Amino acid sequence: MHLRPAEDRDLPALLSIHNHAVRELTAAWTTIEDTLDDRRLWLEGRRADGLPVLVAVDEADQVLGYGTYGAFRARPGYRLTAEHSVYVATQAQGRGIGKTLMLALIDRARAEGYHVLVGAVDSSNEASLALHASLGFDVSCRLPQVGHKFGRWLDLVLASLVLDDREVPPAA
Ligand SMILES: CC(C)(COP(=O)(O)OP(=O)(O)OC[C@H]1O[C@@H](n2cnc3c(N)ncnc32)[C@H](O)[C@@H]1OP(=O)(O)O)[C@@H](O)C(=O)NCCC(=O)NCCS
């Protein structure tokens, strides 16, 4: 397995992993599946904004998972914080791929001068919480019942990692 930037040829696999989460999981808080064009627009938007979309691929170049980050919130005061997400195909989970993707995103965000990474995690997602905790994320920020899916309320955990030791932020 190795990581590389996502290419257009990966779009069907990215769509499949995303829509599986929409249909089956509380990792994505929506029930509306994407189309291939939706995913293409998403990937093009990330590229246009200079944001990473990394795929983990096997020796046959088949996509096993992906990780990305983008803006956390829109106002300028949040611009040194990014919100990431990571998804691994069901059959490839538990083999270190999620962790490998996360480590690459952390390195990239740090190199690009971000100060904090935030992941928004459903509180019942034990695998994601374990992954984030194992990487040193603070997983103590919990917002009760701010979402719902499959007929039940969902609590959101905001998992955050400070990436550097800058004591003073930029003036603007
Ligand atoms: C969460 C997810 C990304 C983890 O990726 P993964 O490749 O399966 O996880 P890894 O094999 O890299 O394991 C990373 C760590 O999490 C822990 N972990 C993984 N799956 C776990 C599980 N089901 N239960 C408890 N801990 C788990 C591992 O023990 C490991 O910790 P360690 O390195 O200290 O041993 C993956 O399960 C996934 O894509 N799930 C569906 C989508 C999703 O929930 N995405 C996250 C949205 S916030």
Side-chain angles (χ1 to χ4, degrees):
M1 185 269 294
H2 70 277
L3 306 187
R4 61 166 173 76
E7 303 284 348
D8 288 354
R9 67 178 186 276
D10 303 320
L11 282 166
L14 294 172
L15 179 71
S16 167
I17 292 171
H18 174 80
N19 280 345
H20 173 263
V22 171
R23 282 193 307 275
E24 309 286 342
L25 307 176
T26 54
W29 290 13
T30 177
T31 55
I32 302 169
E33 294 187 44
D34 267 10
T35 65
L36 198 59
D37 276 346
D38 293 329
R39 278 289 101 179
R40 191 185 313 280
L41 285 173
W42 170 80
L43 183 58
E44 286 171 357
R46 293 260 143 163
R47 279 194 197 126
D49 291 339
L51 296 166
V53 180
L54 301 176
V55 288
V57 295
D58 64 14
E59 54 286 347
D61 205 39
Q62 296 304 301
V63 174
L64 304 172
Y66 69 93
T68 183
Y69 60 69
F72 172 55
R73 301 192 74 190
R75 292 220 163 136
Y78 291 106
R79 76 184 157 79
L80 297 184
T81 297
E83 180 174 343
H84 67 275
S85 51
V86 58
Y87 285 83
V88 177
T90 309
Q91 75 280 4
Q93 289 175 6
R95 289 163 31 191
I97 296 169
K99 193 162 211 168
T100 303
L101 283 162
M102 279 302 309
L103 286 169
L105 291 176
I106 290 168
D107 281 353
R108 170 94 173 238
R110 192 177 277 130
E112 290 188 339
Y114 286 97
H115 184 56
V116 174
L117 266 183
V118 176
V121 184
D122 167 36
S123 67
S124 70
N125 190 342
E126 288 177 17
S128 182
L129 290 176
L131 168 63
H132 283 90
S134 79
L135 291 166
F137 280 74
D138 181 338
V139 293
S140 64
C141 173
R142 182 171 176 141
L143 304 175
Q145 299 187 8
V146 292
H148 66 95
K149 190 171 181 181
F150 304 140
R152 63 177 193 272
W153 296 117
L154 301 176
D155 294 0
L156 188 71
V157 173
L158 292 177
S160 63
L161 180 70
V162 178
L163 300 169
D164 63 35
D165 57 4
R166 268 178 287 178
E167 285 181 12
V168 181

